[in-house]
Amino acid sequence: MKVLRQLFASCLVLGALAGSPAALAADAPAASAAKPPAKDLVLKGDAKCTSCHDESDEPKLLHIGKTKHGTLADGRTPSCTNCHGESDLHTNNPQKLKDRPATDRNFSKTSRLTAEEKSAACTTCHQGGKHMNWNTSAHANRDVGCTSCHQVHVAKDKVRDKRAQAEVCYTCHKQQRAETNRPSHHPIPEGKMTCSDCHNAHGSAGPKMLVKDTTNATCYTCHAEKRGPFVHNHQPVVEDCGNCHNPHGTTAEAMLKARQPFLCQQCHADASHPGNVPAIRANMPNAVSSNIGPGYAQARGCANCHTNVHGSNSPSNATSSGPFRFFR
């Protein structure tokens, strides 16, 4: 009986020693050795986040590895904390993931950060080139942030896809959506061109955030034959293509703002016309007199005769009513 009591006392002493801090510290290396540290899955140093955020997340956060931000061979490639901050309150929290505080920099729709603060995570790296005018752009000045248009954790960002980009722009630019669906339009609905072919959404030195410094220079990127110089320059054309055309689309041919001859009459209403020459009127006795000729404009288009309205190299055949210009 005495032996049993001694054994029982020894067990109590050993149990107390095992529960002591010294004993727990001695067992810690063994526990850590049993559970290896988390490994990076996609980005360098992402183990801090990917230990919880895995393939089951929606949206698929790990798809960032399929984007430019997942190019490990590029030393500039950021990690999770470069964009979202260290977020210690988020990572070192025993609560369930959905109940934890948000990351230091949160890009969701419920985020309390301003558009400027959200964009700061991007402009830290994206400063030069096409992004150099971002801070003075209309988008930045109207509280539009980078994440308002771009998706980072997806394999294909919609605004970088020519066929899907316009739908992202139409989220705000609803008037332009309606215009591009009119009969005469640039081939945006057909997927042959998109908004960024003419506009730089990150800002530019030109008007309307155009990719070139002027409207005409932007149009000449494709319509080089309209550039000139010509012997006879049509002054409204030289000034701005938008005087006659709506580039997003209209119901008139060639994206004109109005049908012929009404578009031309906005400027040429009081101009003399060869139709008023007596010799011509003698051959058309029943013609209705008008300030642009004896009924020439009725159910007709000025471009039936003036085919080169953007400018012409034809000689000026002077008549009593003035020279003929912009002919073949």
Side-chain angles (χ1 to χ4, degrees), residues 2-88:
K2 185 175 181 180
V3 175
L4 292 175
R5 289 177 181 177
Q6 291 177 348
L7 290 174
F8 181 72
S10 300
C11 291
L12 292 176
V13 173
L14 291 174
L17 291 174
S20 65
L24 292 176
D27 292 340
S32 61
K35 184 179 180 181
K39 294 182 179 180
D40 298 338
L41 296 183
V42 179
L43 305 175
K44 183 178 180 180
D46 70 3
K48 184 177 183 179
C49 303
T50 54
S51 58
C52 294
H53 297 283
D54 54 21
E55 295 86 348
S56 62
D57 281 4
E58 289 290 345
K60 302 296 185 181
L61 302 183
L62 297 186
H63 279 182
I64 192 173
K66 299 180 180 180
T67 69
K68 291 290 186 181
H69 287 137
T71 307
L72 297 181
D74 191 341
R76 301 170 299 174
T77 300
S79 186
C80 306
T81 55
N82 292 118
C83 299
H84 293 280
E86 293 298 331
S87 306
D88 292 331

XYZ file of all heavy atoms in Angstrom, residues 2-88:
614
model
N 1.932 1.177 0.723
C 2.855 2.303 0.805
C 3.486 2.575 -0.558
O 3.701 3.717 -0.957
C 3.935 1.988 1.852
C 4.870 3.151 2.109
C 5.819 2.779 3.231
C 6.757 3.946 3.535
N 7.702 3.619 4.645
N 3.790 1.511 -1.281
C 4.385 1.653 -2.606
C 3.420 2.330 -3.563
O 3.789 3.190 -4.376
C 4.796 0.271 -3.147
C 5.293 0.392 -4.577
C 5.873 -0.326 -2.275
N 2.155 1.998 -3.496
C 1.148 2.607 -4.356
C 1.017 4.099 -4.089
O 0.862 4.919 -5.010
C -0.208 1.923 -4.163
C -0.296 0.468 -4.665
C -1.645 -0.135 -4.316
C -0.073 0.414 -6.170
N 1.116 4.485 -2.791
C 1.019 5.904 -2.453
C 2.200 6.682 -3.037
O 2.050 7.807 -3.527
C 0.981 6.067 -0.936
C -0.331 5.585 -0.312
C -0.255 5.724 1.192
N -1.499 5.243 1.816
C -1.701 5.185 3.129
N -0.717 5.560 3.961
N -2.851 4.745 3.611
N 3.381 6.095 -2.995
C 4.560 6.771 -3.538
C 4.457 6.942 -5.046
O 4.819 7.977 -5.618
C 5.822 5.970 -3.179
C 6.164 6.002 -1.697
C 7.374 5.146 -1.371
O 7.822 4.357 -2.220
N 7.895 5.271 -0.156
N 3.943 5.924 -5.736
C 3.763 6.022 -7.184
C 2.743 7.107 -7.555
O 2.917 7.874 -8.521
C 3.318 4.678 -7.753
C 4.371 3.567 -7.760
C 3.738 2.260 -8.209
C 5.531 3.927 -8.669
N 1.670 7.187 -6.797
C 0.637 8.199 -7.045
C 1.183 9.611 -6.847
O 0.922 10.530 -7.643
C -0.556 7.952 -6.124
C -1.687 8.922 -6.322
C -2.489 8.868 -7.467
C -1.960 9.908 -5.377
C -3.520 9.756 -7.639
C -2.987 10.795 -5.559
C -3.779 10.720 -6.687
N 2.006 9.799 -5.822
C 2.625 11.102 -5.565
C 3.583 11.483 -6.687
O 3.669 12.641 -7.116
C 3.344 11.074 -4.219
N 4.297 10.505 -7.197
C 5.225 10.779 -8.299
C 4.488 11.224 -9.557
O 4.933 12.111 -10.285
C 6.064 9.523 -8.593
O 6.807 9.145 -7.463
N 3.355 10.619 -9.815
C 2.550 10.984 -10.981
C 2.044 12.420 -10.874
O 2.009 13.177 -11.859
C 1.360 10.030 -11.138
S 1.864 8.355 -11.619
N 1.656 12.813 -9.659
C 1.196 14.179 -9.473
C 2.303 15.181 -9.732
O 2.107 16.224 -10.353
C 0.645 14.361 -8.048
C -0.647 13.605 -7.727
C -1.022 13.807 -6.255
C -1.788 14.085 -8.617
N 3.488 14.874 -9.273
C 4.626 15.774 -9.476
C 4.968 15.893 -10.959
O 5.202 16.970 -11.486
C 5.846 15.276 -8.670
C 7.076 16.107 -9.026
C 5.554 15.351 -7.186
N 4.982 14.754 -11.654
C 5.287 14.779 -13.087
C 4.229 15.551 -13.880
O 4.538 16.267 -14.827
C 5.387 13.349 -13.619
C 6.602 12.551 -13.123
C 6.500 11.106 -13.603
C 7.901 13.188 -13.612
N 2.949 15.404 -13.488
C 1.871 16.130 -14.167
C 2.005 17.627 -13.985
O 1.771 18.409 -14.887
N 2.395 18.025 -12.780
C 2.576 19.454 -12.518
C 3.730 20.018 -13.328
O 3.657 21.124 -13.868
C 2.821 19.676 -11.021
N 4.806 19.248 -13.415
C 5.958 19.704 -14.195
C 5.610 19.811 -15.682
O 6.056 20.715 -16.394
C 7.133 18.749 -13.997
C 7.769 18.770 -12.601
C 8.828 17.677 -12.499
C 8.391 20.141 -12.306
N 4.794 18.867 -16.167
C 4.437 18.870 -17.588
C 3.596 20.087 -17.945
O 3.659 20.606 -19.050
C 3.672 17.586 -17.932
N 2.786 20.570 -17.005
C 1.940 21.735 -17.256
C 2.625 23.046 -16.980
O 2.031 24.112 -17.166
N 3.840 23.054 -16.521
C 4.562 24.281 -16.196
C 4.999 24.986 -17.474
O 5.121 24.371 -18.527
C 5.775 23.950 -15.332
O 6.686 23.178 -16.075
N 5.264 26.311 -17.415
C 5.730 27.053 -18.603
C 7.006 26.482 -19.186
O 7.188 26.459 -20.394
C 5.941 28.462 -18.051
C 5.011 28.568 -16.881
C 5.011 27.192 -16.268
N 7.884 26.032 -18.310
C 9.136 25.477 -18.822
C 8.883 24.246 -19.671
O 9.498 24.049 -20.716
C 10.062 25.135 -17.640
N 7.940 23.416 -19.195
C 7.638 22.209 -19.964
C 6.963 22.548 -21.285
O 7.233 21.944 -22.317
C 6.746 21.279 -19.122
N 6.044 23.555 -21.263
C 5.377 23.946 -22.507
C 6.363 24.519 -23.509
O 6.275 24.274 -24.705
C 4.283 24.981 -22.197
C 3.075 24.449 -21.401
C 2.130 25.594 -21.076
C 2.351 23.360 -22.179
N 7.323 25.295 -23.012
C 8.348 25.847 -23.893
C 9.192 24.747 -24.503
O 9.614 24.826 -25.653
C 9.222 26.832 -23.119
N 9.441 23.689 -23.696
C 10.229 22.580 -24.213
C 9.482 21.821 -25.289
O 10.069 21.285 -26.220
C 10.620 21.649 -23.068
N 8.117 21.777 -25.171
C 7.318 21.064 -26.168
C 7.047 21.898 -27.418
O 6.635 21.365 -28.445
C 5.960 20.647 -25.564
C 6.156 19.574 -24.500
O 7.217 18.932 -24.530
O 5.248 19.396 -23.662
N 7.260 23.230 -27.354
C 6.962 24.107 -28.489
C 7.746 23.734 -29.732
O 7.188 23.674 -30.830
C 7.208 25.568 -28.104
N 9.060 23.505 -29.654
C 9.783 23.120 -30.875
C 9.245 21.857 -31.508
O 9.169 21.742 -32.727
C 11.223 22.928 -30.379
C 11.306 23.759 -29.138
C 9.967 23.662 -28.502
N 8.817 20.936 -30.648
C 8.269 19.700 -31.202
C 6.969 19.967 -31.946
O 6.706 19.408 -33.010
C 8.045 18.688 -30.076
N 6.124 20.881 -31.397
C 4.856 21.197 -32.052
C 5.089 21.913 -33.373
O 4.432 21.647 -34.383
C 3.989 22.058 -31.127
N 6.048 22.875 -33.342
C 6.327 23.601 -34.575
C 6.937 22.692 -35.626
O 6.719 22.867 -36.819
C 7.266 24.782 -34.285
O 8.500 24.295 -33.762
N 7.701 21.729 -35.177
C 8.282 20.796 -36.128
C 7.202 19.906 -36.741
O 7.296 19.503 -37.900
C 9.345 19.943 -35.446
N 6.154 19.648 -35.961
C 5.080 18.808 -36.479
C 4.253 19.544 -37.526
O 3.724 18.950 -38.449
C 4.186 18.341 -35.338
N 4.119 20.909 -37.394
C 3.323 21.707 -38.331
C 4.250 22.653 -39.075
O 4.659 23.683 -38.541
C 2.246 22.490 -37.575
C 1.320 23.255 -38.492
C 0.255 23.985 -37.692
C -0.681 24.757 -38.608
N -1.707 25.493 -37.835
N 4.618 22.374 -40.304
C 5.553 23.218 -41.051
C 4.924 24.575 -41.353
O 3.694 24.707 -41.425
C 5.810 22.422 -42.328
C 4.598 21.561 -42.482
C 4.150 21.229 -41.085
N 5.720 25.616 -41.506
C 5.185 26.947 -41.809
C 4.492 26.958 -43.171
O 4.817 26.188 -44.069
C 6.438 27.827 -41.810
C 7.574 26.885 -42.075
C 7.182 25.597 -41.422
N 3.506 27.849 -43.289
C 2.749 27.955 -44.539
C 3.663 28.411 -45.663
O 4.587 29.197 -45.464
C 1.593 28.944 -44.366
N 3.407 27.893 -46.857
C 4.215 28.228 -48.021
C 3.456 29.198 -48.933
O 2.230 29.211 -48.976
C 4.557 26.965 -48.815
C 5.457 25.990 -48.066
C 5.786 24.784 -48.943
C 6.708 23.810 -48.217
N 7.046 22.634 -49.066
N 4.216 30.001 -49.646
C 3.621 30.908 -50.615
C 2.986 30.093 -51.747
O 3.567 29.120 -52.229
C 4.676 31.844 -51.196
C 5.298 32.735 -50.128
O 4.657 32.924 -49.084
O 6.422 33.237 -50.349
N 1.798 30.506 -52.175
C 1.090 29.788 -53.232
C 1.231 30.465 -54.589
O 1.415 29.809 -55.610
C -0.394 29.661 -52.876
C -0.733 28.833 -51.626
C -2.241 28.751 -51.458
C -0.137 27.437 -51.729
N 1.141 31.792 -54.617
C 1.156 32.515 -55.883
C 2.243 33.585 -55.887
O 3.125 33.576 -56.741
C -0.223 33.164 -56.160
C -0.194 33.929 -57.482
C -1.313 32.110 -56.196
N 2.178 34.491 -54.949
C 3.093 35.617 -54.901
C 4.116 35.430 -53.793
O 3.900 34.661 -52.850
C 2.318 36.928 -54.673
C 1.198 37.230 -55.664
C 0.452 38.486 -55.239
C 1.743 37.384 -57.069
N 5.206 36.144 -53.900
C 6.236 36.079 -52.886
C 5.719 36.714 -51.596
O 5.312 37.869 -51.571
C 7.497 36.806 -53.364
C 8.651 36.719 -52.381
C 9.866 37.422 -52.942
C 11.032 37.345 -51.943
N 12.240 38.031 -52.473
N 5.727 35.928 -50.517
C 5.263 36.422 -49.225
C 3.768 36.407 -49.039
O 3.243 37.057 -48.132
N 3.029 35.649 -49.881
C 1.574 35.651 -49.758
C 1.056 34.623 -48.758
O -0.146 34.494 -48.564
C 0.920 35.423 -51.115
C 1.119 33.999 -51.657
O 1.720 33.173 -50.952
O 0.680 33.731 -52.781
N 1.957 33.886 -48.110
C 1.521 32.852 -47.166
C 0.708 33.451 -46.029
O -0.166 32.788 -45.459
C 2.730 32.106 -46.612
N 0.969 34.709 -45.711
C 0.230 35.391 -44.650
C -1.254 35.452 -44.975
O -2.093 35.447 -44.071
C 0.799 36.800 -44.462
C 0.188 37.590 -43.331
C 0.890 38.936 -43.191
C 0.342 39.712 -42.004
N 1.033 41.019 -41.832
N -1.579 35.481 -46.254
C -2.969 35.600 -46.681
C -3.529 34.273 -47.202
O -4.676 33.925 -46.921
C -3.095 36.656 -47.773
S -2.473 38.277 -47.290
N -2.711 33.546 -47.950
C -3.216 32.324 -48.583
C -3.385 31.176 -47.588
O -3.923 30.131 -47.961
C -2.269 31.878 -49.706
O -0.931 31.754 -49.194
C -2.284 32.883 -50.845
N -2.954 31.345 -46.351
C -3.245 30.320 -45.354
C -4.738 30.242 -45.080
O -5.242 29.222 -44.614
C -2.480 30.618 -44.060
O -2.823 31.905 -43.567
N -5.466 31.348 -45.384
C -6.925 31.357 -45.244
C -7.626 31.481 -46.599
O -8.629 30.822 -46.847
C -7.369 32.516 -44.345
S -6.833 32.387 -42.622
N -7.105 32.343 -47.455
C -7.731 32.581 -48.761
C -7.171 31.579 -49.768
O -6.034 31.691 -50.212
C -7.443 34.009 -49.232
C -8.011 35.068 -48.341
N -9.344 35.402 -48.339
C -7.411 35.858 -47.417
C -9.549 36.359 -47.455
N -8.393 36.654 -46.881
N -7.969 30.590 -50.111
C -7.496 29.546 -51.016
C -8.383 29.488 -52.258
O -9.115 30.427 -52.563
C -7.454 28.188 -50.306
C -8.795 27.838 -49.668
O -9.832 28.406 -50.089
O -8.811 27.003 -48.745
N -8.334 28.354 -52.953
C -9.058 28.212 -54.220
C -10.569 28.273 -54.067
O -11.287 28.488 -55.036
C -8.682 26.885 -54.895
C -7.229 26.797 -55.328
C -6.323 26.313 -54.207
O -6.786 26.260 -53.046
O -5.158 25.982 -54.494
N -11.059 28.093 -52.859
C -12.515 28.076 -52.652
C -13.110 29.470 -52.556
O -14.322 29.630 -52.531
C -12.849 27.302 -51.377
O -12.285 27.934 -50.237
N -12.286 30.506 -52.495
C -12.781 31.870 -52.365
C -13.504 32.299 -53.639
O -13.148 31.914 -54.742
C -11.628 32.840 -52.097
C -11.182 32.795 -50.637
O -11.730 31.969 -49.886
O -10.302 33.573 -50.260
N -14.531 33.112 -53.443
C -15.224 33.743 -54.564
C -15.203 35.248 -54.355
O -15.634 35.730 -53.311
C -16.684 33.251 -54.655
C -16.820 31.816 -55.108
C -16.439 31.630 -56.570
O -16.342 32.652 -57.289
O -16.229 30.491 -56.988
N -14.705 36.046 -55.274
C -14.125 35.596 -56.541
C -12.800 34.869 -56.336
O -12.239 34.906 -55.247
C -13.915 36.919 -57.299
C -13.731 37.936 -56.224
C -14.620 37.492 -55.103
N -12.337 34.198 -57.341
C -11.125 33.396 -57.243
C -9.911 34.311 -57.074
O -9.313 34.785 -58.038
C -10.962 32.530 -58.493
C -12.139 31.600 -58.762
C -12.308 30.557 -57.667
C -13.405 29.560 -58.007
N -13.610 28.551 -56.968
N -9.550 34.570 -55.819
C -8.475 35.518 -55.543
C -7.134 35.037 -56.085
O -6.289 35.848 -56.465
C -8.375 35.767 -54.036
C -9.649 36.301 -53.359
C -9.381 36.573 -51.884
C -10.131 37.569 -54.036
N -6.936 33.730 -56.123
C -5.643 33.214 -56.569
C -5.452 33.342 -58.076
O -4.374 33.073 -58.585
C -5.491 31.750 -56.149
C -5.488 31.490 -54.634
C -5.177 30.038 -54.350
C -4.490 32.391 -53.917
N -6.492 33.777 -58.788
C -6.346 33.986 -60.227
C -5.419 35.155 -60.547
O -5.077 35.376 -61.696
C -7.716 34.235 -60.867
C -8.467 32.974 -61.122
N -9.706 32.950 -61.721
C -8.155 31.675 -60.861
C -10.138 31.703 -61.814
N -9.220 30.921 -61.298
N -5.029 35.879 -59.522
C -4.074 36.963 -59.745
C -2.768 36.419 -60.313
O -2.013 37.126 -60.988
C -3.816 37.737 -58.430
C -3.072 39.042 -58.727
C -3.050 36.881 -57.436
C -2.930 39.942 -57.520
N -2.508 35.147 -60.067
C -1.306 34.524 -60.606
C -1.319 34.406 -62.117
O -0.278 34.166 -62.732
N -2.500 34.581 -62.755
C -2.610 34.500 -64.204
C -2.510 35.871 -64.863
O -2.646 35.997 -66.072
C -3.937 33.851 -64.595
C -4.103 32.424 -64.066
C -5.435 31.844 -64.487
C -5.608 30.415 -63.971
N -6.916 29.842 -64.378
N -2.280 36.902 -64.071
C -2.201 38.256 -64.588
C -0.765 38.759 -64.553
O 0.146 38.070 -64.091
C -3.088 39.196 -63.749
O -2.515 39.344 -62.431
C -4.492 38.629 -63.605
N -0.573 39.987 -65.021
C 0.749 40.607 -64.967
C 1.239 40.746 -63.533
O 2.439 40.732 -63.267
C 0.693 41.986 -65.626
C 0.483 41.961 -67.134
C 1.710 41.447 -67.853
C 1.546 41.573 -69.358
N 2.733 41.058 -70.097
N 0.310 40.885 -62.597
C 0.695 41.011 -61.191
C 1.201 39.691 -60.613
O 1.710 39.671 -59.495
C -0.497 41.502 -60.356
C -0.812 42.948 -60.570
N -2.093 43.428 -60.710
C -0.007 44.035 -60.689
C -2.068 44.722 -60.888
N -0.816 45.125 -60.887
N 1.060 38.615 -61.353
C 1.541 37.322 -60.878
C 2.814 36.864 -61.555
O 3.200 35.704 -61.425
N 3.486 37.765 -62.274
C 4.722 37.412 -62.961
C 5.877 37.455 -61.979
O 6.418 38.525 -61.671
C 4.992 38.376 -64.129
O 3.833 38.417 -64.979
C 6.200 37.941 -64.929
N 6.284 36.309 -61.464
C 7.319 36.269 -60.438
C 8.696 36.612 -60.985
O 9.583 37.016 -60.234
C 7.346 34.874 -59.793
C 6.069 34.459 -59.051
C 6.235 33.080 -58.448
C 5.727 35.463 -57.967
N 8.873 36.452 -62.279
C 10.173 36.773 -62.863
C 10.442 38.276 -62.874
O 11.582 38.700 -63.045
C 10.257 36.218 -64.284
N 9.393 39.058 -62.699
C 9.532 40.515 -62.667
C 9.731 40.946 -61.217
O 8.870 40.709 -60.366
C 8.283 41.169 -63.260
C 8.463 42.658 -63.496
O 9.377 43.250 -62.890
O 7.691 43.222 -64.290
N 10.848 41.579 -60.944
C 11.138 42.000 -59.574
C 10.188 43.049 -59.041
O 10.133 43.281 -57.831
N 9.425 43.702 -59.911
C 8.477 44.725 -59.463
C 7.142 44.141 -59.022
O 6.280 44.880 -58.525
C 8.225 45.722 -60.601
C 9.479 46.440 -61.090
C 9.181 47.214 -62.360
N 8.737 46.319 -63.429
C 8.293 46.756 -64.620
N 8.249 48.047 -64.864
N 7.919 45.890 -65.540
N 6.942 42.841 -59.201
C 5.662 42.220 -58.871
C 5.339 42.414 -57.389
O 6.139 42.066 -56.517
C 5.696 40.720 -59.196
O 5.944 40.556 -60.594
C 4.383 40.061 -58.828
N 4.185 42.977 -57.071
C 3.840 43.210 -55.661
C 3.318 41.950 -54.995
O 3.036 40.938 -55.650
C 2.740 44.263 -55.758
C 2.054 43.944 -57.058
C 3.141 43.458 -57.985
N 3.191 42.013 -53.687
C 2.551 40.943 -52.923
C 1.252 41.478 -52.345
O 0.893 42.645 -52.552
C 3.478 40.448 -51.815
O 2.895 39.321 -51.173
N 0.559 40.638 -51.615
C -0.745 41.025 -51.067
C -0.632 42.275 -50.204
O -1.434 43.206 -50.302
C -1.332 39.888 -50.246
S -1.436 38.308 -51.116
N 0.373 42.315 -49.345
C 0.513 43.416 -48.398
C 0.914 44.718 -49.074
O 0.713 45.787 -48.500
C 1.539 43.057 -47.312
O 2.775 42.676 -47.938
C 1.039 41.900 -46.466
N 1.482 44.661 -50.276
C 1.819 45.891 -50.984
C 0.568 46.688 -51.349
O 0.606 47.915 -51.407
C 2.612 45.590 -52.247
C 3.980 45.046 -51.961
O 4.312 43.922 -52.332
N 4.818 45.808 -51.270
N -0.507 45.980 -51.591
C -1.756 46.645 -51.970
C -2.725 46.782 -50.794
O -3.393 47.811 -50.657
C -2.434 45.881 -53.103
S -1.462 45.780 -54.624
N -2.816 45.740 -49.962
C -3.801 45.726 -48.881
C -3.231 46.171 -47.539
O -3.996 46.296 -46.570
C -4.385 44.318 -48.734
C -5.209 43.885 -49.906
N -6.516 44.283 -50.094
C -4.911 43.096 -50.968
C -6.984 43.759 -51.209
N -6.037 43.027 -51.763
N -1.925 46.412 -47.469
C -1.317 46.780 -46.199
C -1.002 45.559 -45.352
O -1.416 44.432 -45.669
N -0.263 45.758 -44.268
C 0.095 44.635 -43.398
C -1.123 43.977 -42.768
O -1.166 42.767 -42.572
C 1.062 45.111 -42.310
C 2.424 45.540 -42.836
C 3.160 44.397 -43.511
O 2.942 43.227 -43.123
O 3.955 44.662 -44.431
N -2.136 44.767 -42.417
C -3.440 44.237 -41.957
C -3.289 43.255 -40.802
O -3.867 42.160 -40.817
C -4.180 43.576 -43.133
O -4.294 44.457 -44.224
N -2.519 43.625 -39.776
C -2.311 42.727 -38.629
C -3.601 42.442 -37.877
O -3.821 41.331 -37.383
C -1.270 43.341 -37.688
C 0.122 43.362 -38.308
O 0.390 42.473 -39.135
O 0.914 44.264 -37.979
